[in-house]
Amino acid sequence: MNVTEAVTSRRSVRQFLDKPVDRTTLERVLETAQRAPSGGNTQPWNAVLVTGDELTRITDSIKAKAATAPMGENAEYAIYPKDLDGRYEEQRRAVGREMFNSVGLERGDSAGRIAQMAQNWDSFGAPVQLFTYTKKYMGPPQWSDIGMWLQTVMLLLREEGLDSCAQEIWAMYGTHMRKLLDLGDDYIFFCGMAIGYRDPDAPINSFEVPRVAIDDAIKLRGF
């Protein structure tokens, strides 16, 4: 698989097969991903890779927390800007509509939509979670570096025939996640990433996710 194939075949997978992921494969991916770029070679990413009983422990605890605080509790950063507007907000809403439509959930089916979103806590059936965090004093440039590392991991997973779904939703319970992962107060939890093998027959894994034309996002000058 070349880089273009990895990029174009990567998507946020929201239904995985009940199939284990080999530890050696994951270690190979993470070892290679250490080559991801970062400003000044700071490499500000940290992560915990979780599966089995440990993942069940974390999942059960977050489910219990979500039952009492469904809108989140002690989040340490805003997942979306409160003033998100224009094409940015429309793109966010559009992909949500397509996702719910793919599984036959109408706009008025609030219970169904909540149940679908709750599948995040079960990692959409994926057997592995990658939980990412960094030092609290890290700024926007270092968070950008973490994003480049996560993208590198996702593309390398595709090379191995694996899939993923980056999940910022876990950050709705940021301080609780830090406790579950035994992280000190000098760290901030960023996101989870479900890892496994996609279910190719699941409609939620095949709806179209459009991208804006480059003319709408990028300007070319001096060419």
mmCIF file of all heavy atoms in Angstrom, residues 122-139:
data_model
loop_
_atom_site.group_PDB
_atom_site.id
_atom_site.type_symbol
_atom_site.label_atom_id
_atom_site.label_comp_id
_atom_site.label_asym_id
_atom_site.label_seq_id
_atom_site.Cartn_x
_atom_site.Cartn_y
_atom_site.Cartn_z
ATOM 1 N N ASP A 122 -17.798 1.898 23.869
ATOM 2 C CA ASP A 122 -17.402 0.516 23.593
ATOM 3 C C ASP A 122 -16.398 0.452 22.447
ATOM 4 O O ASP A 122 -16.142 -0.627 21.905
ATOM 5 C CB ASP A 122 -18.626 -0.337 23.250
ATOM 6 C CG ASP A 122 -19.482 -0.621 24.476
ATOM 7 O OD1 ASP A 122 -18.918 -1.050 25.504
ATOM 8 O OD2 ASP A 122 -20.707 -0.420 24.425
ATOM 9 N N SER A 123 -15.842 1.614 22.095
ATOM 10 C CA SER A 123 -14.848 1.703 21.018
ATOM 11 C C SER A 123 -15.376 1.133 19.709
ATOM 12 O O SER A 123 -14.601 0.644 18.888
ATOM 13 C CB SER A 123 -13.547 0.990 21.420
ATOM 14 O OG SER A 123 -13.032 1.506 22.618
ATOM 15 N N PHE A 124 -16.705 1.179 19.526
ATOM 16 C CA PHE A 124 -17.358 0.670 18.319
ATOM 17 C C PHE A 124 -16.986 -0.788 18.057
ATOM 18 O O PHE A 124 -16.960 -1.244 16.910
ATOM 19 C CB PHE A 124 -17.007 1.526 17.100
ATOM 20 C CG PHE A 124 -17.369 2.977 17.251
ATOM 21 C CD1 PHE A 124 -16.378 3.951 17.342
ATOM 22 C CD2 PHE A 124 -18.697 3.373 17.324
ATOM 23 C CE1 PHE A 124 -16.713 5.285 17.487
ATOM 24 C CE2 PHE A 124 -19.040 4.709 17.471
ATOM 25 C CZ PHE A 124 -18.039 5.668 17.551
ATOM 26 N N GLY A 125 -16.693 -1.525 19.134
ATOM 27 C CA GLY A 125 -16.356 -2.938 19.000
ATOM 28 C C GLY A 125 -14.888 -3.212 18.751
ATOM 29 O O GLY A 125 -14.490 -4.374 18.636
ATOM 30 N N ALA A 126 -14.069 -2.164 18.666
ATOM 31 C CA ALA A 126 -12.630 -2.354 18.447
ATOM 32 C C ALA A 126 -11.992 -2.945 19.709
ATOM 33 O O ALA A 126 -12.375 -2.593 20.824
ATOM 34 C CB ALA A 126 -11.959 -1.036 18.095
ATOM 35 N N PRO A 127 -11.000 -3.820 19.557
ATOM 36 C CA PRO A 127 -10.384 -4.459 20.721
ATOM 37 C C PRO A 127 -9.285 -3.649 21.388
ATOM 38 O O PRO A 127 -8.814 -4.013 22.467
ATOM 39 C CB PRO A 127 -9.809 -5.746 20.128
ATOM 40 C CG PRO A 127 -9.448 -5.373 18.727
ATOM 41 C CD PRO A 127 -10.501 -4.394 18.285
ATOM 42 N N VAL A 128 -8.875 -2.545 20.759
ATOM 43 C CA VAL A 128 -7.728 -1.781 21.264
ATOM 44 C C VAL A 128 -8.075 -0.295 21.291
ATOM 45 O O VAL A 128 -8.767 0.211 20.410
ATOM 46 C CB VAL A 128 -6.482 -2.008 20.378
ATOM 47 C CG1 VAL A 128 -5.315 -1.139 20.850
ATOM 48 C CG2 VAL A 128 -6.072 -3.476 20.375
ATOM 49 N N GLN A 129 -7.576 0.385 22.332
ATOM 50 C CA GLN A 129 -7.688 1.835 22.426
ATOM 51 C C GLN A 129 -6.298 2.442 22.608
ATOM 52 O O GLN A 129 -5.464 1.915 23.350
ATOM 53 C CB GLN A 129 -8.556 2.253 23.606
ATOM 54 C CG GLN A 129 -10.009 2.533 23.274
ATOM 55 C CD GLN A 129 -10.215 3.833 22.522
ATOM 56 O OE1 GLN A 129 -9.334 4.675 22.454
ATOM 57 N NE2 GLN A 129 -11.405 3.996 21.963
ATOM 58 N N LEU A 130 -6.077 3.549 21.928
ATOM 59 C CA LEU A 130 -4.871 4.348 22.113
ATOM 60 C C LEU A 130 -5.292 5.664 22.748
ATOM 61 O O LEU A 130 -5.968 6.475 22.111
ATOM 62 C CB LEU A 130 -4.190 4.602 20.763
ATOM 63 C CG LEU A 130 -2.891 5.404 20.802
ATOM 64 C CD1 LEU A 130 -1.753 4.553 21.356
ATOM 65 C CD2 LEU A 130 -2.519 5.904 19.405
ATOM 66 N N PHE A 131 -4.942 5.865 24.005
ATOM 67 C CA PHE A 131 -5.290 7.093 24.718
ATOM 68 C C PHE A 131 -4.075 8.019 24.734
ATOM 69 O O PHE A 131 -2.994 7.631 25.188
ATOM 70 C CB PHE A 131 -5.742 6.783 26.142
ATOM 71 C CG PHE A 131 -7.038 6.031 26.225
ATOM 72 C CD1 PHE A 131 -7.094 4.761 26.789
ATOM 73 C CD2 PHE A 131 -8.208 6.593 25.731
ATOM 74 C CE1 PHE A 131 -8.295 4.070 26.876
ATOM 75 C CE2 PHE A 131 -9.426 5.903 25.809
ATOM 76 C CZ PHE A 131 -9.465 4.643 26.383
ATOM 77 N N THR A 132 -4.254 9.250 24.243
ATOM 78 C CA THR A 132 -3.155 10.183 24.053
ATOM 79 C C THR A 132 -3.255 11.361 25.023
ATOM 80 O O THR A 132 -4.352 11.857 25.291
ATOM 81 C CB THR A 132 -3.162 10.705 22.600
ATOM 82 O OG1 THR A 132 -3.077 9.593 21.712
ATOM 83 C CG2 THR A 132 -2.002 11.628 22.336
ATOM 84 N N TYR A 133 -2.105 11.785 25.516
ATOM 85 C CA TYR A 133 -2.065 12.904 26.454
ATOM 86 C C TYR A 133 -0.731 13.628 26.311
ATOM 87 O O TYR A 133 0.195 13.148 25.648
ATOM 88 C CB TYR A 133 -2.261 12.406 27.889
ATOM 89 C CG TYR A 133 -1.213 11.415 28.359
ATOM 90 C CD1 TYR A 133 -0.131 11.820 29.135
ATOM 91 C CD2 TYR A 133 -1.311 10.064 28.026
ATOM 92 C CE1 TYR A 133 0.834 10.929 29.573
ATOM 93 C CE2 TYR A 133 -0.347 9.154 28.448
ATOM 94 C CZ TYR A 133 0.715 9.581 29.220
ATOM 95 O OH TYR A 133 1.674 8.685 29.639
ATOM 96 N N THR A 134 -0.629 14.797 26.949
ATOM 97 C CA THR A 134 0.610 15.570 26.890
ATOM 98 C C THR A 134 0.714 16.445 28.136
ATOM 99 O O THR A 134 -0.225 16.506 28.945
ATOM 100 C CB THR A 134 0.667 16.426 25.611
ATOM 101 O OG1 THR A 134 1.993 16.936 25.431
ATOM 102 C CG2 THR A 134 -0.314 17.584 25.665
ATOM 103 N N LYS A 135 1.830 17.110 28.283
ATOM 104 C CA LYS A 135 2.005 18.029 29.402
ATOM 105 C C LYS A 135 1.070 19.233 29.255
ATOM 106 O O LYS A 135 0.860 19.732 28.146
ATOM 107 C CB LYS A 135 3.451 18.529 29.453
ATOM 108 C CG LYS A 135 4.459 17.495 29.931
ATOM 109 C CD LYS A 135 4.411 17.347 31.445
ATOM 110 C CE LYS A 135 5.569 16.497 31.952
ATOM 111 N NZ LYS A 135 5.582 16.419 33.439
ATOM 112 N N LYS A 136 0.559 19.723 30.370
ATOM 113 C CA LYS A 136 -0.393 20.834 30.328
ATOM 114 C C LYS A 136 0.214 22.110 29.772
ATOM 115 O O LYS A 136 -0.492 22.945 29.206
ATOM 116 C CB LYS A 136 -0.963 21.101 31.724
ATOM 117 C CG LYS A 136 -2.083 20.151 32.119
ATOM 118 C CD LYS A 136 -2.697 20.550 33.439
ATOM 119 C CE LYS A 136 -3.889 19.652 33.764
ATOM 120 N NZ LYS A 136 -4.469 19.973 35.085
ATOM 121 N N TYR A 137 1.512 22.305 29.927
ATOM 122 C CA TYR A 137 2.108 23.549 29.462
ATOM 123 C C TYR A 137 2.343 23.582 27.957
ATOM 124 O O TYR A 137 2.736 24.608 27.411
ATOM 125 C CB TYR A 137 3.406 23.846 30.207
ATOM 126 C CG TYR A 137 4.508 22.818 30.047
ATOM 127 C CD1 TYR A 137 5.134 22.583 28.825
ATOM 128 C CD2 TYR A 137 4.952 22.091 31.150
ATOM 129 C CE1 TYR A 137 6.146 21.654 28.685
ATOM 130 C CE2 TYR A 137 5.968 21.160 31.030
ATOM 131 C CZ TYR A 137 6.556 20.946 29.791
ATOM 132 O OH TYR A 137 7.565 20.020 29.670
ATOM 133 N N MET A 138 2.108 22.469 27.262
ATOM 134 C CA MET A 138 2.298 22.454 25.814
ATOM 135 C C MET A 138 1.297 23.393 25.146
ATOM 136 O O MET A 138 0.131 23.492 25.560
ATOM 137 C CB MET A 138 2.124 21.042 25.261
ATOM 138 C CG MET A 138 3.176 20.053 25.718
ATOM 139 S SD MET A 138 4.831 20.490 25.135
ATOM 140 C CE MET A 138 5.764 19.109 25.805
ATOM 141 N N GLY A 139 1.751 24.105 24.110
ATOM 142 C CA GLY A 139 0.909 25.072 23.418
ATOM 143 C C GLY A 139 0.393 24.559 22.087
ATOM 144 O O GLY A 139 0.631 23.398 21.719
#
